Amino acid sequence: MSDSAQVTDLLHRPLRDLRISVTDRCNFRCVYCMPKEVFDKDYKFLPRAQLLTFEEIEQVVRAAAQLGVSKIRITGGEPLVRRDLEALISQIRQVPGITDISMTTNASLLTAERARSLREAGLQRITVSLDAIDDETFKRVNDVDVSVQDVLDGIDNAAKAGFVDTKVNMVVKKGLNDHSILPMARYFHNSGHILRFIEFMDVGNSNAWDLSHVVTSAQIAERINAELPMEPVEANYRGEVAKRWRFNDGGGEMGIISSVSAPFCGDCSRARLSATGSIYTCLFASSGHDLRPALRESDGQDRVVQELSKLWSLRTDQYSETRTQVAVLRPKVEMSFIGG
Ligand code: SAM
Ligand code: SF4
Ligand code: SF4
């Protein structure tokens, strides 16, 4: 951190992580995120001119770093559909105070060459989303006929390029892919990759979320434990969202993210930047704060520091801990717009 101070919100939570959505577009149409009925050929994705430039994103990162942010996650939409992402990563890498740069991707476009260039640019970690290990289920989820092998190749390409600790995230939706919990656990047991299950969340308004679609973390753990006994492990750090489990037979670790059944708002230190330059202080927000006017001033970075600091210091978000049926139904921003 340079000259400014760590900012904390009204619930004493520091600002430490910034998730940057670099595009609202994606080559998948995951049924729980960008269902085809909504994101069809008539859907108006953002025109290129409305996206923040890499220079503008860098300015926001510099401002955020002055307020305590050290971790950056690149996300989307699908971040790999944004051209020249490597240039942005090299720019972010130069920002004083930023110690960790990661990316969440569906990995279908992660060729060996792309993985190498991202690594060279300074990307440190990759999280891959994969929701089943059999093609039939996976294609039903992604809805664009991409096969499991394409994603596994992406994971391999990341390893060959030198990425270690690549994590694999699986969103579990009852009736869609919950029969894949055990096959996925078996596949990644002993693989060197940490598989993390994520409870299906009521993000946005397109995925027709209902509590009955959620398989809780306790149910997920119970199903796996019956075949692959495991024990809980201490968190790596305060605020770690995944509850860690270790297989008793030495087959490595896995994790479960209980975003619905045991929320973790108390430690939430994440802000999100949309591709158009709005800041959201919660994944379930209805609206964001547009930083573009500030960015266009001659003293843009200082202005962003001021606005971000004010915004965070007034923050009270704890949506998941106070979720009600009314809140579930109110308008919320889509996850493909602000990033996971
Ligand atoms: N396209 C990239 C990917 O899929 O990894 C990055 C963006 S995606 C929005 C980030 C993560 O959010 C993915 O792991 C995805 O599975 C997860 N996600 C999307 N909608 C979700 C929902 N309703 N509940 C839980 N996780 C969700
Ligand atoms: Fe695309 Fe990721 Fe959403 Fe799937 S979860 S539709 S890959 S943005
Ligand atoms: Fe953070 Fe909002 Fe999620 Fe709570 S609901 S953990 S405040 S993003």
Side-chain angles (χ1 to χ4, degrees), residues 13 263-266 268-270 272 281-284 315 317-321:
R13 298 169 296 187
F264 33 79
C265 301
C268 179
S269 55
R270 289 175 292 281
R272 292 176 160 84
T281 55
C282 178
L283 180 55
F284 298 91
R315 175 182 188 247
D317 302 289
Q318 43 182 340
Y319 177 89
S320 292
E321 289 186 355

Side-chain angles (χ1 to χ4, degrees), residues 288-300:
H289 174 86
D290 188 3
L291 289 177
R292 272 180 305 185
L295 278 168
R296 287 179 187 148
E297 297 291 327
S298 55
D299 59 346

Side-chain angles (χ1 to χ4, degrees), residues 19 21 23 25-28 30-34 73-80 103-107 127-131 141 168-173 196 198-204 207 209 257 259-260 283-284 334-340:
R19 300 194 168 195
S21 172
T23 177
R25 292 169 198 255
C26 185
N27 57 332
F28 280 20
C30 298
V31 291
Y32 57 76
C33 179
M34 297 179 76
R73 180 168 290 274
I74 309 287
T75 177
E78 173 47 47
L80 294 178
M103 174 178 74
T104 304
T105 173
N106 64 36
T127 300
V128 172
S129 306
L130 176 63
D131 294 326
V141 176
V168 178
N169 281 352
M170 169 180 171
V171 172
V172 181
K173 182 178 174 193
R196 299 186 313 177
I198 304 178
E199 290 175 351
F200 175 48
M201 294 185 280
D202 51 323
V203 218
N207 64 15
W209 184 89
I257 303 180
S259 4
V260 177
L283 180 55
F284 298 91
E334 294 299 329
M335 195 153 182
S336 54
F337 183 71
I338 55 168

Side-chain angles (χ1 to χ4, degrees), residues 26-28 30 74-81 85 103-115 118 123 126-131 138 142 146-159 163 166-169 188 193:
C26 185
N27 57 332
F28 280 20
C30 298
I74 309 287
T75 177
E78 173 47 47
L80 294 178
V81 306
L85 193 62
M103 174 178 74
T104 304
T105 173
N106 64 36
S108 61
L109 303 170
L110 195 57
T111 58
E113 195 187 339
R114 200 80 209 272
L118 287 162
L123 187 68
I126 294 183
T127 300
V128 172
S129 306
L130 176 63
D131 294 326
F138 186 52
N142 68 53
V146 172
S147 60
V148 171
Q149 194 55 49
D150 291 333
V151 178
L152 296 178
D153 288 348
I155 297 174
D156 275 355
N157 291 336
F163 288 97
T166 298
K167 296 197 176 70
V168 178
N169 281 352
F188 287 101
H193 297 297

Side-chain angles (χ1 to χ4, degrees), residues 129-338:
S129 306
L130 176 63
D131 294 326
I133 202 70
D134 71 282
D135 266 344
E136 194 192 333
T137 312
F138 186 52
K139 289 182 179 184
R140 202 182 318 135
V141 176
N142 68 53
D143 216 8
V144 289
D145 215 32
V146 172
S147 60
V148 171
Q149 194 55 49
D150 291 333
V151 178
L152 296 178
D153 288 348
I155 297 174
D156 275 355
N157 291 336
K160 286 187 191 125
F163 288 97
V164 289
D165 292 339
T166 298
K167 296 197 176 70
V168 178
N169 281 352
M170 169 180 171
V171 172
V172 181
K173 182 178 174 193
K174 197 178 282 177
L176 175 69
N177 66 339
D178 57 320
H179 60 282
S180 301
I181 293 174
L182 258 175
M184 282 285 281
R186 281 184 206 123
Y187 186 87
F188 287 101
H189 168 252
N190 247 329
S191 69
H193 297 297
I194 296 183
L195 172 63
R196 299 186 313 177
F197 297 92
I198 304 178
E199 290 175 351
F200 175 48
M201 294 185 280
D202 51 323
V203 218
N205 296 101
S206 304
N207 64 15
W209 184 89
D210 190 285
L211 193 56
S212 67
H213 296 142
V214 179
V215 183
T216 65
S217 53
Q219 293 164 335
I220 295 171
E222 198 180 297
R223 285 200 209 175
I224 298 170
N225 199 41
E227 181 176 315
L228 296 165
M230 45 186 200
E231 57 182 16
V233 187
E234 283 283 295
N236 281 314
Y237 53 89
R238 183 166 179 228
E240 188 172 33
V241 295
K243 171 108 192 62
R244 297 169 64 199
W245 293 88
R246 185 183 296 127
F247 295 113
N248 293 351
D249 65 358
E253 268 190 35
M254 51 149 262
I256 310 182
I257 303 180
S258 323
S259 4
V260 177
S261 68
F264 33 79
C265 301
D267 282 328
C268 179
S269 55
R270 289 175 292 281
R272 292 176 160 84
L273 178 67
S274 76
T276 54
S278 284
I279 284 280
Y280 292 82
T281 55
C282 178
L283 180 55
F284 298 91
S286 305
S287 59
H289 174 86
D290 188 3
L291 289 177
R292 272 180 305 185
L295 278 168
R296 287 179 187 148
E297 297 291 327
S298 55
D299 59 346
Q301 198 180 307
D302 291 342
R303 290 280 301 274
V304 174
V305 171
Q306 285 163 17
E307 293 195 6
L308 208 51
S309 172
K310 184 165 168 214
L311 204 63
W312 193 267
S313 57
L314 295 174
R315 175 182 188 247
T316 55
D317 302 289
Q318 43 182 340
Y319 177 89
S320 292
E321 289 186 355
T322 55
R323 181 182 280 108
T324 60
Q325 201 48 41
V326 177
V328 168
L329 293 175
R330 77 168 157 69
K332 285 171 280 166
V333 66
E334 294 299 329
M335 195 153 182
S336 54
F337 183 71
I338 55 168

